[in-house]
Amino acid sequence: MTQPLFKIEDLKVSIEGKQILDGVNLTINAGEIHALMGRNGTGKSTLANTLMGHPKYEITGGKIWLAGQDITELEPEERSIAGLFLAFQYPIAIPGVNVVNFLRAALKAHRGGDMPIKDFRILLKEQMNLLSMQQSFASRYVNDGFSGGEKKRLEILQMAMLNPKMVLLDETDSGLDIDALKVVAEGINRTMTKDRGVLLVTHYQRILDFVKPNFVHVMMNGKIVKSGGPELALELEKQGYDWLGKETKHENQATAN
Amino acid sequence: MSEAIDAMNNEIGDIGTDYKYGFHDKEEFVFKSQRGLSREVIENLSRMKKEPQWMLEFRLKAYEIYMEKPMPTWANTELLNEIQFDNIYYYLRPQDSEKKNWEDVPEGIRKTFDRLGIPEAERKFLAGVTAQYESEVVYHSIREDLEKLGVKFFSMDQGLQEYPEIVKKYFGTVIPPNDNKFAALNSAVWSGGSFVYVPKGVHVAIPLQAYFRINAENMGQFERTLIIADEGSSVHYIEGCTAPTYSSDSLHSAVVELIALPGAKLRYTTIQNWSKNVFNLVTKRAQAYRDATVEWVDGNLGSKLTMKYPAIYLMEPGAHGEVLSIAFSGKDQHQDAGSKIIHAAPNTTSVITSKSISKDNGRTTYRGLVKVYPNAEGCKSSVKCDALLLNEGSRSDTYPTMEIDCENVQIGHEATVSKVGDEQLFYLRSRGLSEDAAAMMIVNGFIEPFTKELPLEYAVELNRLIQLEMEGSVG
């Protein structure tokens, strides 16, 4: 069982003919948390959405592997059922559909059948308590009129209920005040297991004070340009991304030479 | 839009493959008129029903009006003009008299209603049932306890026989025959429908239901319903309707008159699920008196063309009206629906909520009117129309008319048109839902304000019907 949990191989992606990702490589083993950092517009969210199978993003090259299975061509729902989860940067509202019915439908799809209602309610109540969510939250419409913090908590609640193997967190820290950030980070840490992998996409160091990554990667112009340990995030915090740009340019030139 | 209305439709219908009510029985009748309408048809029908002379005169007068009135020149005139009035059977009497026990209903007809689940629903959750087959009510019952409280619930024909004075007082007062061409047609040739009278202060806690079934090809069904909720009473009336799928058209043209006397509360729920060869042109109107409430809950799924604009006249201060509707239009269908609220007195309030869904190039239209009379100070009205389109070729139009002749009022209107969003679909699919299941969930959420107002059994049935309609329709 040495195969990696999640592997991205030379992934190239276009939107409406414009290339956004230019050969991304990344391997994540079970039990590891990876942070992917970079400025806005460098392709981080494109990567997260492509990995989940958004139909708008066209894969023009490369492969995605989850637990040894090639998921490059799978539909989003097939990826979900295979154990991939994306916590969205901007979770969208589904008016008229309440949180309970939504979660029941998702769990049903994953289990291939209804969970006994009693068990479901116990599980939901427990998970909501852990995320400091009021019970009334369950009967609200999905993301409809939610504050930024409520939306991100609902993402974490879904993650906790679906119990995925591999979690993609897309800017989960954005728009959160410090208290909400702590609750969300705690939710990520609490559900982390030795069997799960996490890819945490962010452009702030802040969340990394609460969710400790094993590895940090920096993305620029649709590629991962630098990888390192947690100290890399601190360095970026101090120095910004500019020095990397120069370094990369040199590297590129070196390669070209 | 100065008239109140009703509608029809036409076009070569795609025969709905998933319409499970499209079956038909061998025709059973004790009398069937010739095709087409004439004075003789009307006289014959009235004689068979042993009606009082004034009703025959009412019919014949209405027939004259019908012949004089032109077809509507608005809405989907192309479809309207496809109706072949001379090809319709205007009166078909399926059995000699209406029955109080299902066992006494002819077997073929009884089996049809069994398949439609009516006797079962009656046992489980209804206070009374009227079952109409072709032109006549074939079965009718009401719970004894309600009968003892003085609640009158009959077929319209029997109501006329037993309570001629009440019928004469109210019949045709809310919707006079000259209101529009189809109201005149119904007034001339009406048969069946319900007569309901709820005495002062009586609350009918569980719904009364009427079910309308067309069986014969080229049938015209013209039921007539009159509901009077006396002072301080309350009642909920539900109607459902289906028909076989044929390659040629049938016509359904009902008139429904509601009267809510001071302090009464009256709700009228419709789930229209005609087959796609039925023109559905219905006039529905209510009067609400002091502090009374009238609610139309109106669901339109079937038919080729529906034209239906339930109206509420708020006659006295404190009256409140609500119209909550959904329209679901698929291939070769046009749902032209909406509502009319007339604020004829001060301090009256109204809410209109309209939801429409178009798929497979289907077409929906919201056509509405809010009118405030010059003296109607302090009125409040809010109108909300939301349309959801499931494919590129689907179409939705909104024609909200406001005639506000009074300054001191609060009127709000908002309208939205949206497509089932790619981002919504992706979000739900990323949680494991198939594309169809995701679209279904979005649609169910969209109409949730409607379904939550239905009794549970009907909400479940509606969701199931929409699920059948929705299969494979995203794109």
Side-chain angles (χ1 to χ4, degrees), chain B residues 84-237:
Chain B
Q84 298 183 332
F85 290 97
D86 291 340
N87 197 39
I88 301 279
Y89 294 101
Y90 285 81
Y91 184 62
L92 197 161
R93 191 178 180 87
Q95 63 182 22
D96 54 353
S97 64
E98 79 182 55
K99 310 298 183 191
K100 284 194 159 58
N101 293 304
W102 282 109
E103 298 78 57
D104 298 331
V105 175
E107 194 185 356
I109 298 175
R110 191 178 72 227
K111 279 187 175 162
T112 290
F113 284 106
D114 272 339
R115 271 176 92 168
L116 298 169
I118 307 304
E120 191 190 358
E122 178 184 7
R123 283 193 299 275
K124 283 187 185 160
F125 54 83
L126 295 170
V129 166
T130 286
Q132 178 160 346
Y133 193 82
E134 318 291 22
S135 300
E136 296 286 354
V137 169
V138 293
Y139 169 82
H140 173 79
S141 78
I142 180 167
R143 277 191 359 194
E144 267 179 34
D145 54 331
L146 292 172
E147 210 168 0
K148 282 184 186 145
L149 288 170
V151 175
K152 302 178 193 359
F153 176 44
F154 295 104
S155 68
M156 192 68 233
D157 297 278
Q158 205 185 343
L160 174 62
Q161 296 300 329
E162 304 212 6
Y163 297 93
E165 69 293 345
I166 303 182
V167 173
K168 195 170 183 183
K169 182 175 173 188
Y170 292 107
F171 193 94
T173 59
V174 182
I175 303 170
N178 62 4
D179 189 86
N180 68 74
K181 188 172 180 74
F182 296 100
L185 173 60
N186 176 283
S187 298
V189 74
W190 72 267
S191 183
S194 300
F195 169 72
V196 181
Y197 172 80
V198 185
K200 282 183 189 174
V202 172
H203 298 282
V204 183
I206 55 175
L208 303 173
Q209 158 131 26
Y211 199 93
F212 299 97
R213 175 73 180 173
I214 292 176
N215 180 61
E217 192 166 8
N218 304 131
M219 187 60 207
Q221 192 176 56
F222 305 96
E223 88 270 10
R224 180 99 189 187
T225 290
L226 172 63
I227 302 178
I228 300 150
D230 210 333
E231 293 178 26
S233 69
S234 67
V235 63
H236 182 191
Y237 179 93

Side-chain angles (χ1 to χ4, degrees), chain A residues 33-37 87 152 156 169-174 176-178 180-189 198-213 233 237:
Chain A
I33 297 177
H34 291 236
L36 179 67
M37 304 188 71
K152 297 301 169 75
I156 300 303
L169 299 157
D170 188 9
E171 305 274 359
T172 296
D173 51 336
S174 68
L176 295 186
D177 62 31
I178 192 72
L181 181 63
K182 279 183 184 167
V183 172
V184 165
E186 205 277 321
I188 297 166
N189 291 330
V198 171
L199 178 63
L200 198 169
V201 175
T202 181
H203 60 279
Y204 291 118
Q205 148 71 20
R206 196 175 61 152
I207 191 171
L208 304 182
D209 292 339
F210 302 100
V211 180
K212 300 290 184 195
E237 175 84 349

Side-chain angles (χ1 to χ4, degrees), chain B residues 449-462:
Chain B
F450 182 87
T451 40
K452 78 175 180 201
E453 292 299 324
L454 297 177
L456 179 66
E457 295 80 2
Y458 294 83
V460 169
E461 177 67 4
L462 183 72

